[in-house]
Amino acid sequence: MNTYNIALLAGDGTGKEVTDEAVKILNAIGEKYSINFKFEPALIGGCAYDVYKTPLPDETLNIAKSSDAVLLGAVGDWKYDSLPPEVRPERALLGIRKGLNLFANLRPATVYPELTSLSPLKEDIVSGTDIMIIRELTGDVYFGTPKGIELKNGEKFAFNNMCYFENEIKRIAHVAFKVAMQRNKKLCSVDKANVLDVSRLWRETVIGISKEYPEVELSHMYVDNAAMQIIKNPKQFDVILTGNIFGDILSDEASMLSGSLGLLPSASLSERKLALYEPIHGSAPDLKGKNIVNPIATILSAALMLKYSFNLNKEHDVIVTAVRKALKEGFRTQDICQIGSKTVTTSEMGNIIKNNILH
Ligand code: IPM
Ligand code: MG
């Protein structure tokens, strides 16, 4: 029997509630297809700070490094808002991304036909939207140096450095072109090349890499226009490739096309086999312990793990089908409830999806 070791980093707030359901689903897949998933829990975020005075303890990073894949819930809680920036829970996310070299962040924004009416946009604009955003995750202004806040000419002066090495752009471009090859072969690279030198290098480098993928139709868009086009006509996009900060913003924007942050998974890949999977939503500490949050984003993140880390494509598809069946049958957590739908709790949604897998 194949065994996969999964580092389980539930994190803060409702993180545990959603990862519990994803574990339930992976175990159901294991039962059905005779696969052994072993979970090793570790602390990350505020809960790690409480114990270790750091949001990303070495133990956690080591458990993640020696695993076959990492499943993460979410980090953050208002009770840590007054901590210095270096030990805030969010720092753990940046730390684990850098520590595991997870440079490629895949954020699909899929609009489910059953849920088009949930979108804040008109149904005819969003229906059929299926965008894959590829966000560079370990560079850009997030990690650039020098950075800081100093006194200059008698006043405070703050600075961060937006920067990319050509090689960082090349490797994320390769990921994006490969993903595009498996989809509709359309890639839109988003930058701000009319203003930023970094973006000029970005565009030039992406054009260079495109020669290796002649079948992929490459286009370029300035980020401000892209923000507008995602709302105006989201269906024009197949794969969007962009840097860390633009990708952060555009992926939140695109997520709303589907109607709820609670539906969207993500995968963060490295050059090695190791990868991390997490829902794109946060820890929602106000909803903690109520058993009402939507576990689907985390369940679909587990499905992405099967596909990208373990090459279990059939098993990935089985989870996606089971999720869609639950939605088709009208089961809804509170965030996506509609007139006539059946409202269920977090764990009930997990059980329904599990039953769809097993029966
Ligand atoms: C995300 C989040 C993080 C980011 C924060 C919490 C550091 O917004 O994963 O998109 O900015 O990358
Ligand atoms: Mg974000």
Side-chain angles (χ1 to χ4, degrees):
M1 188 162 22
N2 266 343
T3 296
Y4 297 105
N5 295 304
I6 298 169
L8 185 61
L9 315 184
D12 304 316
T14 54
K16 178 156 187 327
E17 290 164 54
V18 291
T19 50
D20 276 353
E21 299 314 308
V23 166
K24 195 186 268 178
I25 296 309
L26 286 173
N27 283 333
I29 289 288
E31 188 182 325
K32 183 160 178 171
Y33 299 103
S34 300
I35 305 164
N36 187 16
F37 296 108
K38 272 177 64 185
F39 298 95
E40 177 140 25
L43 296 175
I44 192 165
C47 60
Y49 176 82
D50 287 339
V51 179
Y52 298 95
K53 295 287 163 265
T54 164
L56 182 62
D58 288 344
E59 282 94 318
T60 300
L61 200 53
N62 289 336
I63 287 175
K65 277 183 182 163
S66 59
S67 71
D68 296 319
V70 181
L71 183 65
L72 192 139
V75 299
D77 195 316
W78 300 305
K79 73 178 194 215
Y80 306 105
D81 277 0
S82 57
L83 288 179
E86 320 78 70
V87 289
R88 291 272 298 261
E90 296 80 4
R91 272 303 156 102
L93 282 184
L94 302 186
I96 199 165
R97 287 170 185 172
K98 202 67 174 173
L100 303 181
N101 206 5
L102 305 169
F103 70 94
N105 186 214
L106 277 53
R107 297 193 165 184
T110 317
V111 175
Y112 293 98
E114 302 80 21
L115 301 176
T116 42
S117 66
L118 286 175
S119 174
L121 297 188
K122 293 197 187 83
E123 286 195 49
D124 62 317
I125 290 182
V126 289
S127 71
T129 295
D130 180 8
I131 307 176
M132 175 66 92
I133 297 185
I134 314 269
R135 168 189 177 195
E136 200 290 331
L137 203 59
T138 51
D140 204 345
V141 68
Y142 271 68
F143 294 96
T145 50
K147 65 178 187 117
I149 306 179
E150 286 175 2
L151 265 186
K152 199 167 177 169
N153 307 330
E155 63 170 324
K156 280 188 184 166
F157 172 71
F159 50 100
N160 290 89
N161 186 9
M162 182 180 259
C163 53
Y164 267 119
F165 280 103
E166 200 182 348
N167 264 323
E168 291 176 299
I169 306 170
K170 281 185 178 165
R171 65 179 183 177
I172 190 72
H174 277 294
V175 171
F177 280 104
K178 284 186 182 130
V179 170
M181 283 298 289
Q182 287 164 11
R183 293 175 46 107
N184 293 328
K185 302 191 172 131
K186 272 177 65 186
L187 177 60
C188 179
S189 172
V190 172
D191 61 37
K192 188 72 185 174
N194 50 347
V195 178
L196 301 171
D197 297 306
V198 179
S199 286
R200 282 212 293 281
L201 178 63
W202 180 278
R203 192 175 281 215
E204 182 187 302
T205 309
V206 172
I207 291 172
I209 299 297
S210 72
K211 310 283 184 266
E212 297 175 43
Y213 303 88
E215 281 176 56
V216 177
E217 179 195 321
L218 172 67
S219 61
H220 305 273
M221 214 179 258
Y222 297 138
V223 62
D224 48 350
N225 184 30
M228 191 255 280
Q229 296 293 337
I230 285 173
I231 299 295
K232 190 175 168 207
N233 177 18
K235 275 184 277 222
Q236 71 185 285
F237 296 106
D238 176 21
V239 179
I240 292 177
L241 162 65
T242 192
N244 204 346
I245 186 83
F246 298 156
D248 178 44
I249 299 163
L250 294 182
S251 61
D252 263 30
E253 185 194 7
S255 74
M256 275 325 284
L257 300 171
S258 80
S260 173
L261 272 176
L263 293 167
L264 299 177
S266 80
S268 302
L269 315 176
S270 66
E271 266 155 346
R272 301 188 314 120
K273 267 218 77 60
L274 186 55
L276 179 147
Y277 302 84
E278 59 177 323
I280 77 159
H281 62 69
S283 57
D286 50 330
L287 307 179
K288 183 181 174 176
K290 297 191 171 149
N291 197 19
I292 58 173
V293 291
N294 192 340
I296 289 181
T298 314
I299 290 172
L300 291 175
S301 301
L304 289 181
M305 175 189 289
L306 299 186
K307 179 172 172 159
Y308 289 108
S309 281
F310 308 147
N311 255 322
L312 298 169
N313 290 315
K314 178 184 70 190
E315 291 79 354
H316 160 272
D317 294 350
V318 166
I319 297 182
V320 174
T321 307
V323 167
R324 297 189 76 144
K325 182 157 183 255
L327 293 174
K328 251 185 227 127
E329 288 170 352
F331 296 109
R332 304 278 186 272
T333 42
Q334 262 184 26
D335 57 311
I336 52 173
C337 75
Q338 292 160 301
I339 299 163
S341 67
K342 296 161 239 175
T343 307
V344 296
T345 63
T346 309
S347 49
E348 281 166 350
M349 183 60 104
N351 290 340
I352 291 160
I353 296 167
K354 176 182 163 181
N355 285 333
N356 290 346
I357 290 169
L358 292 177
H359 304 293

